[in-house]
Amino acid sequence: MGPKGMDKMLISKDGDVTVTNDGATIVENMNVEHPIAKLLVELSKSQDNETGDGTTGVVVLAGALLEQAQKLLDKGLHPLQIIEGFDKGCEYAIKHLDSIQTEINLKENNYENLKKAAKTALCSKVVSKYQDKFAEIAVNAIMAVADQARKDVNFDMIKVEGKVGGNLEETQLIEGIVLDKEMSHPQMQKKVSDASICILNIPFEPPKPKSKYNIDIKSAEEYQKLYETEQNYFKNMIKSVKDSGANFVICQWGFDDEANHLLMHNNLPAVRWVGGAEIEQIALATGGRIITNFNDIKKEKLGRAREVKEINIGTNNQKMIVIEDCPTKKAVTILVRGGSSMIVEEAKRCLHDALCVVRNMIKEPKIVYGGGATEISCSLHVAEKADNTPTIDQYAIRAFAEALDVIPIALAENSGYNGIEYLANLKAKQIKENNPCLGVDCSKNGTFNMLSQGVYEGYNSKKQQFQLATQVCKMILKIDDVIKPHDLDEPAF
């Protein structure tokens, strides 16, 4: 946790190595067998699916709640009493969260707060040295595809493509779609302006019967006749494409070598073996239709783009296809560079978190303060509520407040401080100054104020952490027995 948190190296059964500090990736790749631990893995996935960030925090908080619950069980409290207290504690924390959140204004194209939130998500990652650049890329990518009127972001229009070679600083945002492909024939033109794109889901091959068949060729004339028949098939296919006005072809399947040769001679640049997801994205971005029959190729079904070109990446001249300035919908691609495949993959995971943070703030433009400041403020408020609760619920409510303290303690310890002592000082400062912005100075900037440091977190992500961690803890506490399939050698009861 935090900018000083360490990474984990995960080695699969096949020997594949992953280096990451992303909570969801770590728990997903662990070989977890304990049934309760599996619930925590599912918890991390839920947080990742819902908000995309805060996966480490939600698991740490859930673990802290379970630890507090064990202490209360040892004292003799009934699990249902603990559940009721945790429910109230979570309710108090979220109400306090509402009171300390800050709304941000996006109408005046002021994206500075979005960049600060993205930087907070990136500061603990492998790309932290370039967090300013990556934060700006994440914000620009989201704003390019966002519908601010509906407060909606179509993630399908953002593609993250990785290419080994170069360094992280060379990562760039391209307004358009990038395919890790090259032209199907080396002599095809490398650049097409005002492209009319024919998007095909059928191969450039003659039709084949469904049953097994054999053709016996006994003379050169028979072979020549078969060759001419095949040529006519290809010529008719290419004529269908040309007659529609298309000047570029993208195909999900392959081309026969003869068809590829004819495409080149007819000045029809083409790309083959494009994946299904990419084909759909290209169709959405260019406004084209995916065509499944050559007889259905019509001008109105073609996609449009200002330019399609083949570019070279790096010193090894690795080729990629770029489709730029699609008219109907905005589509962007983030091209990630890195010195090894592990760095590229981790950088893509980092960008995913940053993109999710910005996306969440478009949906709900509210922020809270990071560095554990929010957890400390909520902990103080929940503890105060516990002191004013006359029933036995006060023990579980107070335990919820203590569980919230685990996150700032972890941040402080990872930054080289004495966790308990640091937390006590921060709590005293927050009470004295009545300032919920005071948190752990992980970067050692000399100030505890997260507002002045620009350490922001999405309100929605924090709220989701509190709710999901409480829900999974309640589920576990309600379990009073474990029933497993019995061994064949033993009786069932």
Side-chain angles (χ1 to χ4, degrees), residues 143-156:
M143 297 316 297
V145 302
D147 184 344
Q148 291 195 53
R150 292 172 52 229
K151 293 187 176 180
D152 184 46
V153 177
N154 186 358
F155 252 29
D156 291 337

Side-chain angles (χ1 to χ4, degrees), residues 123-290:
C123 68
S124 62
K125 311 292 186 183
V126 70
V127 300
S128 58
K129 184 178 178 183
Y130 308 108
Q131 58 183 298
D132 289 327
K133 181 182 178 70
F134 274 71
E136 188 169 350
I137 286 173
V139 171
N140 290 341
I142 290 290
M143 297 316 297
V145 302
D147 184 344
Q148 291 195 53
R150 292 172 52 229
K151 293 187 176 180
D152 184 46
V153 177
N154 186 358
F155 252 29
D156 291 337
M157 305 310 294
I158 301 174
K159 185 182 177 188
V160 182
E161 189 73 50
K163 202 72 174 173
V164 177
N167 56 55
L168 289 168
E169 199 173 9
E170 294 174 24
T171 298
Q172 58 182 304
L173 177 68
I174 297 170
E175 289 191 5
I177 296 173
V178 176
L179 302 175
D180 192 7
K181 301 287 178 184
E182 58 184 292
M183 297 298 182
S184 60
H185 196 289
Q187 293 179 7
M188 284 177 177
Q189 65 188 87
K190 308 299 183 187
K191 184 176 177 181
V192 178
S193 299
D194 295 324
S196 296
I197 305 170
C198 183
I199 306 168
L200 297 174
N201 189 24
I202 35 175
F204 267 90
E205 293 176 355
K208 296 176 182 177
K210 294 180 180 179
S211 59
K212 291 184 178 180
Y213 63 95
N214 289 311
I215 299 177
D216 295 327
I217 298 174
K218 298 177 180 177
S219 65
E221 289 77 14
E222 289 181 2
Y223 175 79
Q224 186 63 29
K225 187 178 179 181
L226 178 66
Y227 175 74
E228 287 173 1
T229 305
E230 191 179 63
Q231 285 278 304
N232 289 331
Y233 270 121
F234 292 142
K235 285 174 182 175
N236 289 334
M237 290 173 179
I238 291 167
K239 185 176 183 300
S240 303
V241 177
K242 291 285 283 187
D243 289 350
S244 68
N247 56 8
F248 190 77
V249 178
I250 293 177
C251 186
Q252 187 172 353
W253 302 100
F255 301 154
D256 187 282
D257 287 342
E258 190 65 36
N260 199 24
H261 182 75
L262 287 170
L263 281 166
M264 186 267 293
H265 275 288
N266 282 275
N267 293 322
L268 265 178
V271 180
R272 55 186 168 183
W273 299 118
V274 179
E278 291 175 322
I279 281 278
E280 289 177 10
Q281 189 184 31
I282 292 166
L284 279 170
T286 61
R289 298 279 295 277
I290 299 173

Side-chain angles (χ1 to χ4, degrees), residues 408-420:
I409 286 174
L411 288 170
E413 288 177 348
N414 285 348
S415 303
Y417 303 116
N418 182 311
I420 297 291

Side-chain angles (χ1 to χ4, degrees), residues 385-442:
K385 288 289 185 182
D387 293 339
N388 296 326
T389 302
T391 63
I392 200 170
D393 288 346
Q394 63 175 288
Y395 291 100
I397 296 171
R398 193 173 290 109
F400 189 93
E402 290 180 17
L404 289 172
D405 291 341
V406 168
I407 288 176
I409 286 174
L411 288 170
E413 288 177 348
N414 285 348
S415 303
Y417 303 116
N418 182 311
I420 297 291
E421 183 182 350
Y422 201 91
L423 176 66
N425 291 335
L426 274 178
K427 281 189 171 183
K429 281 181 179 293
Q430 278 211 17
I431 294 169
K432 183 179 178 181
E433 300 179 22
N434 192 24
N435 186 355
C437 303
L438 301 180
V440 180
D441 181 20
C442 298

Side-chain angles (χ1 to χ4, degrees), residues 451-468:
L451 174 61
S452 62
Q453 285 201 32
V455 182
Y456 298 163
E457 293 186 46
Y459 161 82
N460 195 37
S461 175
K462 191 63 69 177
K463 178 181 175 182
Q464 196 76 20
Q465 282 183 46
F466 290 176
Q467 289 176 331
L468 288 179

Side-chain angles (χ1 to χ4, degrees), residues 281-323:
Q281 189 184 31
I282 292 166
L284 279 170
T286 61
R289 298 279 295 277
I290 299 173
I291 300 167
T292 57
N293 192 316
F294 279 99
N295 296 326
D296 293 338
I297 300 176
K298 297 175 184 176
K299 186 175 182 179
E300 56 268 21
K301 292 186 178 182
L302 301 180
R304 299 281 187 272
R306 182 181 61 81
E307 188 174 78
V308 180
K309 60 185 177 182
E310 182 183 279
I311 60 172
N312 294 327
I313 299 288
T315 55
N316 294 331
N317 286 331
Q318 301 174 73
K319 295 178 174 59
M320 302 188 90
I321 301 291
V322 179
I323 305 170

